Amino acid sequence: MATAEAIDVRNVTTIGHVDHGKTTMMDALLAANNIISSRMAGKIRYLDSREDEQERGITMESSAVSLRFNVMERNPQGAEPRPKTYVVNMIDTPGHVDFSSEVSTASRLCDGALVLVDVVEGVCTQTITVLRQAWQDRLRPILVINKFDRLITELKLAPVEAYHHLAQLIEQVNAVMGSFFASERMEDDLRWREERERRLAEKRDTHADEVEATVNEEDEYQEKDDEDIYFAPERGNVVFASAIDGWGFRIGKFAHLYAVKLGIKEGNLRTVLWGDFYLDPKTKRVISHKHLRGRALKPLFVQFVLDNIWAVYDAVVTNPNPDKVNKIITTLGLKIPPREQKSKDTRQLLSLIFSQWLPLSTCVIQTIVDIVPPPSAAQRTRLPKMLYPDIYEATVEPKNKLEEDLYYCNDRPEASVVALVSKMFAIPTKELPGKKKKALTAEEMRSRARAAREARAAAAASSEATPSEPDSVPIEEGMQKVELNDKTEAENGDAESDETLLGFARIYSGTIRTGTTIVCVLPKYSHALGPSHPRNAQHLVTAQVEELYTMMGRELVPVESVRAGNVFAIRGLEGKVWRNATLCAPASSGIGETTDLTEVQDSLVNLAGVIRYAAPIVRIALEPEHPADMPKLIRGLKLLAQADPCVETFQQKTGEHVILTAGELHGERCIRDLKERFAKIEIHASKPIVPFRETAVKAPDMAPPKTPNAKRGTIHGAAAHDLGKFTIRAAPLHPVIFEFLIDNLAILRRMQQERRAGEDLGRTDDDDALDDENFDVQGEYIKKPTIKAEQFWPMLREKCREAGGEWSDIVDKIWAFGPQRMGSCLLIDSRPGRPNSFKRRLAQVKAGETITEQDTLAAAFDNYLETGFQLATFQGPLCAEPVEGMAYFVESVTLDREGIEEEQTHNRMAHLTGSFISAVRDACRNGLLDWSPRLMLAMYTCDIQASTDVLGKVYGVVAKRRGKIVAEEMKEGTEFFTVRAKLPVVESFGFADDIRKRTSGAASPQLIFSGYEMLDQDPFWVPTTEEELEDLGEKADRVNIAKVYMDAVRERKGMFVDRKIVEFAEKQRTLKR
């Protein structure tokens, strides 16, 4: 069995907010393909194949299904329409924010998206996120306004009110699309101007004698039309649906019905069926709102469409009326058996009427075929963006054969094979098609019984013949023993591989076949360096295609080959591909016996790239209940990290095994997977570990400075025997500079990598992988930079001038950034003479100059000082968490050269350097404590939708968890409020359950990590002034929150905790006997 041709394929993903009905809608499509019964559609949620997905009622993993549909094709000559078979590959994705990485892996494989929006809840946070994802991946979106029945049964709106509500909703979604378009145009405009200025400057240089350089006339700024990005019902890209009742329609369906009745052309009617158009009852003509002349007419959409739907709901559900129902059925010409009409189950009758009158599956499939382009057309616009992410043109001309095959989705045998594996997923080995136990037929059962009877008869005969052998065993027992032994051996063999990892992939060109050998291009492969380069060699591996499958939800169907444009699963990449990769081969026959990959260099391409999803922020430390199970846990963690794109697993320096997850729900799912599937052992999970940040501020009532007669924060330090002395002054960074650095951490990171690459070209990439991990491990929140990399230094200089004072001239004195050499702390060289400048060193590395130091000893101690600074900022003084927003000025370093040379002769330098680094680290930490120290908490932005009757309870839960309400707005036409709050991550565990319990399930929150915020409370604060003592007493009865958080982290890390064992000893307590 092979897959379909590219022209008849459509690859579509369903995206939307959590609980907006994506999986329910997929059920309707599956029922139309006879995979599930139409009665169970909407109840069974077939694609939620995990047990916990069914329990919670939400999707957690994206699952794919290939459906076949016959669609009647209209012929242009007006001939008889013929049926044409389309293959629609659907990928159902989760809507919960914890699993947003699943959405991005799915959208890379598709050409179109069904965007589901709940008609009552409207546009939610995750709706905007998934729309942005679809926009970035250049998917063609279709808007599905779902849960239409809620307008009738819950909100009880009149048809005219419902029409205005729908118009507003479509307007909201279009506003989101418009904002994406506007931001892209602004970037385009800026780039066009820069390019124009550059060309003008070149022209001036070449024609210096010309007074004025003019631009070519044809080089005008091209305005892009934004017409085709919006959703408009008359253009056929909006579906009105109720997935639970199994119906859906587009305007075209009703235009077709009424065109004959009214004698208006179908095309004309389609354009006026949505919008402010009315039917004049006298003239029977369509008029616009200008010709109403005060008459109270209903818009066409209300009169022709909504009134009919309301009438059906009214007759069947709201005020059941069998006669009316009968009339509706006969008028619409539906075939519904009388037994069903008399049924007491009104919802069942309703869905029967609607699924025959306005079937959802037909409507959705027809929309997909009309709106979503086939792969051969879609890849013209999508692949240039994947190959060249910085490109801005919609299409580009192919530069070579490979690009031509990709852009035109060429599936001939000689075309280059390119497939993108966007994620790996685990499936129990016993569920693979070849491993499943087949059900026995009746004939096989009879033959087995016959064989058993004969064996028994033979055994009886042999026992009669030889009675003298007491040690003979009945044959059945012997057989059983043999079987048992075999079974245990088999079990031992299978224990190693209970789970098989498959790649979730889409083929862009060529035809991939089982048994061929292909090249896996891993995400860090750099095309510019070529396959023979030592840095690239480890990012190319060859693999044999063991099996190819078409995915059908939880089932897999084996196929021999897959043609370009299809989505498939592939076996044979386990142990070679970590999470994503590009599979390449020069033709469908694979690379054959070739071992030298330079021969196939022209057919290698890297589409995967290193993708950064939302930073996982919640850490959980794991250990097995029985220490002997440690190897199983490690193996399980490795499998988990591959099977889930958004989880990070690593071993901390303390030896703990830690998983980093996107949120609480994601963490629970990972632990459950480990226990039940990947490790199959009992696991102890720690309480979630949340990252903090440390900083200091200038407060009104600080203790006197530690060093008298010097500025606050100044610390004098010395290494062993005063051989190296130094003075370092710490100061909180000016807010303007701090915000600038936080916004542009990504640029700092890139500069650091450039510097490393320049300093050490021979370095392997393993270190880079480590750097990547460390960066994530810190729970960093990387924003998109606000400026371009080349503008970093000029902008920083501008910000420093804006800050004024001692900050105005620090740019050339910046020695290093920290922690991890790319944070928001600065080490500033304010010694007299030529400063140690990071900017200068970077420029030298870029220019390829070798950096020669005049004074090697001073340079060595400068390096040690920088190391001390990095250590101090990586683990701050409060609770060994990274420091943010501090500047450390190095005011002097004096070295006793004779003493140091003596140490060198006695080979005691290691002791000296160690003590110097420690002294610098301690000085930096004490400098921070000289100011008023503060903790910065990781914060979630929390969006809650709640009705007015539970609003108070929601506020109560948020306040109890030290959150603050940022905004609230009422959705027009409903009684729903959208509440936005900020909540510390450390307080968020159990928050979702708490809210659901308090509001009886009426409100559920979405938590999205949004960076760090300062907790304005000194952890070391005690009452000192008379007023404070009078208010609070010496013991300060009020709990110091910052101290509670700090002590909890210190205790977890095994550091000293200053805690009183006996508190309030002098207070009288009367104990009950």
Side-chain angles (χ1 to χ4, degrees), residues 1007-1018:
L1007 300 169
I1008 302 166
F1009 181 57
S1010 71
Y1012 292 88
E1013 269 189 25
M1014 192 165 70
L1015 174 65
D1016 202 9
Q1017 204 172 2
D1018 187 338

Side-chain angles (χ1 to χ4, degrees), residues 286-352:
V286 175
I287 55 171
S288 69
H289 63 96
K290 292 175 189 168
H291 305 291
L292 273 179
R293 299 196 191 89
R295 287 176 293 177
L297 297 180
K298 290 179 182 175
L300 283 177
F301 185 71
V302 176
Q303 193 178 344
F304 289 174
V305 181
L306 297 186
D307 279 353
N308 293 320
I309 291 170
W310 256 251
V312 177
Y313 269 90
D314 183 62
V316 179
V317 179
T318 327
N319 307 306
N321 185 336
D323 301 339
K324 252 190 186 176
V325 172
N326 224 345
K327 195 178 171 192
I328 289 169
I329 291 170
T330 48
T331 313
L332 294 173
L334 310 178
K335 295 186 179 71
I336 291 175
R339 186 187 71 222
E340 295 291 355
Q341 289 182 38
K342 291 177 185 136
S343 156
K344 292 275 184 274
D345 185 358
T346 53
R347 285 313 275 233
Q348 176 62 22
L349 176 59
L350 188 76
S351 69
L352 271 171

